[in-house]
Amino acid sequence: MHDMLAGFVLYPPTMLKTTRRRLLAGLPAFGLFSAHAEDSKPLENILFGSCLDTHEHPMLDRTLSLPRDLFLFMGDNIYADQGGIPMMQEKYARLKNSRFFRGLKNKPILATWDDHDFGLNDGGSEYPQKKEAQVEFWNWLDEPANSPHRQQEGVYQAKTFGPSGKRVRIILLDTRYFRSPLMKVSKEKAMLGGSSIPTEDETTTILGAAQWTWLEKVLQEPAELRIIVSSIQFAPEAHGGECWANFPHEQKRLLTMLRGQKALVLSGDRHWSEFSKNSVFDFTSSSMTQKHPRGTPTPNKHRLVPKTYHLPNVGLLNIDWTAQAITTQIFGEAPEAQIELRVPFTDLVV
Ligand SMILES: [Fe+2]
């Protein structure tokens, strides 16, 4: 799988030295730069989903029937925040053996996590077993033992697909490993989405220093389109639940970094789907297997399309290189798209 995913990846200097040594010795460079034929094909159909509390569901079979060059697991890929590492291992094994996961494996898969697969509900840097959880995450994805991803703290990563002129850089963030505690109010003062509120404390963080440094470098690498995968929503206004708006200084920092680039955000977490724009487009798809019990969304002045969707669903992002436009659709179990928006590339500039 990883040979197929080979592209431009930021590796630590030690890894690059090793690669150089291997190349000089006539050995394969771990497949890092040994581009598979698929790598040079432009990426056209990206499926993105989140929040899988079961791995047998009609929506998962429906997902396998949709066009796909790449699948993105955007977090809560398993629900394992109650039983420690043994439960995590058991749930990952179940996902890995599922018809759904086996069906995805003929094409590239990329993933990040959210709180329920990180191991602590609404959890962040304080979670004591985050290192162990990270090992299980990479084991699930068969990340090679010598992969630099296993050496770094946090599961953030970036990969580029497609030839020059049609490069898509997929940037998956880790919004858990380094995240400062949430600022909370009492239940009486809580909003519809929960009791978290925006903080003014600029020493708090979502991404943490090391990930910010990495991200800044990654965003300087050439690409025609950048797709940021964030488990939690980026664009919507604060709603009481988890979102970037709870850390306005971090939200502003990412927007500043993206300024002038063609970029968009994909997110999950909410157990409903909606499209928002707050300087950058944010397409939310959640949950793949669960019905949202309330059935109504929280207020969001940045919502672009009035319709939200609260039944099991997956997102499909189509890139039309000829027309220079993207179309994002949310699909439930029915044949027709539930939410749809077409955006010309020119409007994606942040
Ligand atoms: Fe979830």
Side-chain angles (χ1 to χ4, degrees):
M1 179 172 76
H2 296 278
D3 278 1
M4 280 176 61
L5 294 180
F8 300 98
V9 185
L10 256 197
Y11 285 98
T14 48
M15 186 77 188
L16 292 175
K17 256 185 224 159
T18 315
T19 304
R20 205 155 42 227
R21 268 204 309 273
R22 288 179 66 88
L23 286 170
L24 287 171
L27 296 166
F30 305 112
L32 292 183
F33 305 109
S34 58
H36 186 282
E38 291 231 350
D39 298 334
S40 56
K41 273 196 217 152
L43 207 50
E44 283 177 0
N45 293 300
I46 303 168
L47 285 179
F48 56 102
S50 66
C51 302
L52 294 84
D53 73 334
T54 169
H55 303 113
E56 292 285 335
H57 192 283
M59 188 61 226
L60 301 180
D61 296 321
R62 166 90 179 107
T63 298
L64 291 177
S65 75
L66 291 166
R68 162 176 56 89
D69 301 317
L70 168 68
F71 186 85
L72 299 171
F73 281 96
M74 302 189 297
D76 292 348
N77 310 318
I78 56 167
Y79 280 72
D81 53 20
Q82 302 284 330
I85 300 301
M87 179 188 265
M88 210 170 262
Q89 290 170 336
E90 190 198 315
K91 295 269 179 99
Y92 274 134
R94 248 188 267 169
L95 170 56
K96 204 166 172 170
N97 291 324
S98 67
R99 184 168 68 242
F100 174 57
F101 193 74
R102 282 185 281 121
L104 288 177
K105 282 186 80 175
N106 61 343
K107 294 282 167 66
I109 298 169
L110 290 173
T112 188
W113 57 18
D114 201 31
D115 54 341
H116 297 285
D117 38 2
F118 177 61
L120 183 66
N121 186 30
D122 283 358
S125 62
E126 74 283 6
Y127 177 48
Q129 286 185 290
K130 57 186 179 183
K131 276 199 166 68
E132 292 87 340
Q134 181 169 332
V135 171
E136 299 308 326
F137 176 88
W138 291 128
N139 287 350
W140 160 52
L141 295 165
D142 289 327
E143 189 74 13
N146 58 7
S147 163
H149 293 144
R150 286 188 182 266
Q151 264 109 67
Q152 95 187 4
E153 286 196 291
V155 301
Y156 55 89
Q157 59 169 316
K159 286 191 189 294
T160 303
F161 294 83
S164 184
K166 293 180 178 177
R167 288 163 299 193
V168 182
R169 189 131 182 83
I170 310 280
I171 300 165
L172 296 107
L173 302 179
D174 184 332
T175 65
R176 294 291 157 190
Y177 202 98
F178 304 99
R179 205 214 60 212
S180 305
L182 297 166
M183 193 159 158
K184 299 263 190 183
V185 291
S186 63
K187 277 207 170 114
E188 300 77 64
K189 288 188 184 154
M191 286 182 273
L192 186 58
S195 55
S196 296
I197 56 162
T199 179
E200 284 171 17
D201 179 357
E202 298 199 357
T203 65
T204 60
T205 187
I206 295 179
L207 299 187
Q211 187 172 186
W212 275 117
T213 306
W214 166 84
L215 182 58
E216 195 158 22
K217 281 195 204 127
V218 159
L219 289 173
Q220 285 162 11
E221 291 170 9
E224 278 61 56
L225 180 61
R226 290 170 180 84
I227 297 178
I228 315 278
V229 182
S230 166
S231 65
I232 56 170
Q233 288 182 306
F234 183 81
E237 64 179 296
H239 41 64
E242 293 210 64
C243 55
W244 280 75
N246 287 336
F247 296 86
H249 54 288
E250 293 276 278
Q251 197 181 31
K252 211 169 134 192
R253 187 172 177 181
L254 183 50
L255 279 180
T256 307
M257 276 188 192
L258 292 176
R259 195 136 300 147
Q261 303 199 340
K262 280 193 198 85
L264 60 92
V265 178
L266 301 177
S267 59
D269 174 48
R270 301 303 304 281
H271 295 201
W272 75 76
S273 295
E274 65 178 331
F275 293 173
S276 314
K277 188 183 181 189
N278 180 359
S279 298
V280 65
F281 287 88
D282 182 352
F283 302 106
T284 304
S285 168
S286 168
S287 146
M288 290 194 80
T289 59
Q290 298 164 84
K291 180 182 172 199
H292 179 229
R294 195 176 64 237
T296 55
T298 47
N300 174 13
K301 65 182 175 200
H302 301 299
R303 187 173 296 131
L304 270 181
V305 181
K307 187 176 175 186
T308 57
Y309 189 68
H310 300 252
L311 296 174
N313 66 84
V314 71
L316 170 61
L317 174 70
N318 172 267
I319 305 170
D320 185 338
W321 292 102
T322 310
Q324 296 276 293
I326 60 153
T327 302
T328 312
Q329 294 169 299
I330 297 296
F331 284 102
E333 287 170 49
E336 67 282 2
Q338 300 297 326
I339 311 176
E340 182 168 335
L341 188 69
R342 186 173 172 85
V343 183
F345 282 1
T346 46
D347 288 0
L348 294 175
V349 180
V350 179

